[in-house]
Amino acid sequence: MAETLIAAVDILKQNKLKITKQRHALLEFLLTNQGHYTDIVAVDAYMRTEFPGMSHNTVYRNLKEFEEVGIVEQNTEQERTRVKYQCDFHHQHHHHFICQNCGKVTELQMCPMDFFAEQLPGYDITGHSFELYGICADCKAAGITESLVKN
Amino acid sequence: MAETLIAAVDILKQNKLKITKQRHALLEFLLTNQGHYTDIVAVDAYMRTEFPGMSHNTVYRNLKEFEEVGIVEQNTEQERTRVKYQCDFHHQHHHHFICQNCGKVTELQMCPMDFFAEQLPGYDITGHSFELYGICADCKAAGITESLVKN
DNA sequence: TTCGGTGCAAAGGGTTTGCAACCTG
DNA sequence: CAGGTTGCAAACCCTTTGCACCGAA
C-alpha cells in the first residue's frame, strides 16, 4: 500500500504536479478504497468533512488531474460519477464487473469485441462500452441478495 | 409513420395518459428523428422554440413518462442524456451501435452475454451494458472519417 | 522567489419541484 | 366536471470558474 502511494506520488512528480497536503490526503483516501468505485460526490463530502476548509474546486480539479495522468479511473453510469484508484497504472484494455452493493470492481479477462469482428460491414467501430453489474461473491456470501445501491 | 404515431397514442391511452397538444407535438418531433438518438437538451430547446411557452417541466416529465410506458428509450453516455423514439415497441433484449456523427442507432443482433456464461463463479450478474460507437456506413460513404460529436 | 495550487463564493448547466390555472376525457 | 397536465419561476444538485492569497519546489 505504501509503495502504491509512492508510485502515485512519482507520477505526480513526473507530470510536474506539486505534492500538496490536499493531494496527498486525496491519494490516501483513494488508496483506502483501492479496487472500489466511490461516488465522486461522496469523495468530495468526505474530504470536506475530514479536512474542513477544503474546497470543491480542489477535490474535483485534482480528481480530474489524477485521471489525466492515470492515477484514477472515472466512470459515469446511471447518472453518477464514480472514481477509483488505479493501483497498477497499467492501461491495457479491460472491462469491469461492478458490485452494486459495495462498489468493488473486478476486472474481466474477456472483451466482447473478441467475438464481434466484422459484424457491421461498412461501419467504422471506434469504441465500445461493456460493463457487468451485480453482487460480488463476498457480498453474496454475506447474505446480500439484492441491490442496495444508495439513492 | 402515421400508424406509428397512432400506436404511440394508443399506448398513452392504454396507460390512461391524456393526449395533449404538447404530448402530440413531442411525439411528432421524436417521430421525425426515428432511429436516431437526440440530446434531451436539444429536444427541450427545440420544443420550446417551436412552441413558445412550453416549459422544461413538460418536456422532461413527458419524456420520462414516455420512457416508462415504452415509447421512448433514454440513454446516458458521456455525461449526455439522449432520447429516441422506440418505433417498434418491442422490448426484446438488444444492444446498439450509435453513430458519433448523425446519432443513428443500429440494433445489434449479438449480445456479449451469449459468450460470457459462468465466467464469475459465486457472483450474481444482474445486468450489463454494451454499446458500440463509431461512424455508420452512410456517414462514412458521405466522407465523414472522424467523430464530429458536438460539444 | 515563483508560479502552481488553494479556498471561497458565486455562477453555471441540466433537471426537478410547487402550485395555481388550464383542458382533456 | 374532476383530476390529470401545464407554465412559470424558483429550487436543486453537481460541477466549474474567477480571483486573491498561500505555499511547494
Side-chain angles (χ1 to χ4, degrees):
Chain A
M1 181 143 162
E3 63 270 17
T4 313
L5 213 183
I6 292 170
V9 167
D10 277 347
I11 290 189
L12 291 186
K13 286 181 184 168
Q14 283 165 31
N15 287 274
K16 301 193 192 343
L17 297 173
K18 294 180 178 174
I19 319 299
T20 64
K21 283 194 230 0
Q22 294 86 341
R23 280 176 179 163
H24 201 275
L26 239 188
L27 287 175
E28 284 191 326
F29 172 70
L30 291 168
L31 204 40
T32 64
N33 291 314
Q34 205 172 349
H36 297 242
Y37 272 112
T38 309
D39 193 315
I40 197 171
V41 173
V43 177
D44 184 44
Y46 175 83
M47 295 305 290
R48 289 165 53 80
T49 307
E50 206 70 3
F51 304 91
M54 186 177 290
S55 68
H56 299 299
N57 193 339
T58 298
V59 176
Y60 281 92
R61 189 170 23 68
N62 281 326
L63 285 174
K64 180 176 284 185
E65 284 169 342
F66 288 177
E67 188 191 25
E68 282 164 5
V69 300
I71 295 175
V72 151
E73 264 183 43
Q74 283 210 20
N75 171 298
T76 303
E77 284 289 341
Q78 293 150 7
E79 324 277 279
R80 296 188 115 62
T81 302
R82 296 167 297 177
V83 286
K84 112 173 156 58
Y85 203 93
Q86 181 152 20
C87 50
D88 47 13
F89 306 118
H90 70 57
H91 281 168
Q92 68 197 44
H93 182 73
H94 64 272
H95 296 284
H96 288 149
F97 170 95
I98 302 178
C99 180
Q100 301 278 26
N101 183 59
C102 71
K104 188 175 76 183
V105 172
T106 305
E107 293 196 2
L108 305 177
Q109 317 301 324
M110 167 260 206
C111 171
M113 299 315 285
D114 297 341
F115 304 98
F116 205 80
E118 309 300 331
Q119 295 283 319
L120 291 170
Y123 283 54
D124 275 349
I125 299 177
T126 58
H128 64 283
S129 68
F130 177 57
E131 234 169 50
L132 299 183
Y133 310 104
I135 306 297
C136 72
D138 291 346
C139 287
K140 202 181 164 193
I144 284 99
T145 53
E146 57 180 278
S147 171
L148 298 174
V149 181
K150 287 91 187 165
N151 293 317
Chain B
M1 182 143 159
E3 63 270 16
T4 312
L5 213 183
I6 291 170
V9 168
D10 276 346
I11 290 192
L12 291 186
K13 285 181 185 168
Q14 283 164 32
N15 287 275
K16 301 192 192 345
L17 297 172
K18 294 180 176 171
I19 318 298
T20 63
K21 284 194 227 7
Q22 295 86 341
R23 280 176 177 160
H24 201 275
L26 239 189
L27 286 176
E28 284 192 325
F29 172 70
L30 290 168
L31 205 40
T32 63
N33 291 313
Q34 204 172 348
H36 297 243
Y37 272 112
T38 310
D39 193 317
I40 196 171
V41 172
V43 177
D44 184 45
Y46 175 82
M47 295 304 291
R48 290 165 53 81
T49 306
E50 206 69 3
F51 303 91
M54 186 176 290
S55 68
H56 298 300
N57 193 338
T58 298
V59 176
Y60 281 92
R61 188 169 26 66
N62 281 327
L63 285 175
K64 181 176 285 185
E65 284 168 343
F66 288 178
E67 188 190 26
E68 282 163 5
V69 299
I71 295 176
V72 150
E73 263 183 44
Q74 281 209 22
N75 170 299
T76 303
E77 283 289 340
Q78 293 150 9
E79 325 275 281
R80 296 189 115 61
T81 302
R82 295 167 298 176
V83 143
K84 111 174 157 56
Y85 203 91
Q86 181 152 20
C87 50
D88 47 13
F89 306 118
H90 70 57
H91 281 170
Q92 67 196 43
H93 183 75
H94 64 271
H95 296 284
H96 288 149
F97 170 95
I98 302 179
C99 180
Q100 302 278 28
N101 183 60
C102 71
K104 188 176 75 184
V105 172
T106 306
E107 293 196 3
L108 306 177
Q109 316 302 323
M110 167 260 206
C111 171
M113 299 314 285
D114 297 341
F115 305 98
F116 205 79
E118 309 300 330
Q119 295 283 319
L120 291 169
Y123 283 54
D124 275 349
I125 299 176
T126 58
H128 64 281
S129 68
F130 177 57
E131 234 168 49
L132 299 183
Y133 309 104
I135 306 297
C136 72
D138 292 345
C139 287
K140 202 180 164 192
I144 284 98
T145 54
E146 57 180 278
S147 170
L148 298 176
V149 181
K150 287 90 187 167
N151 295 314

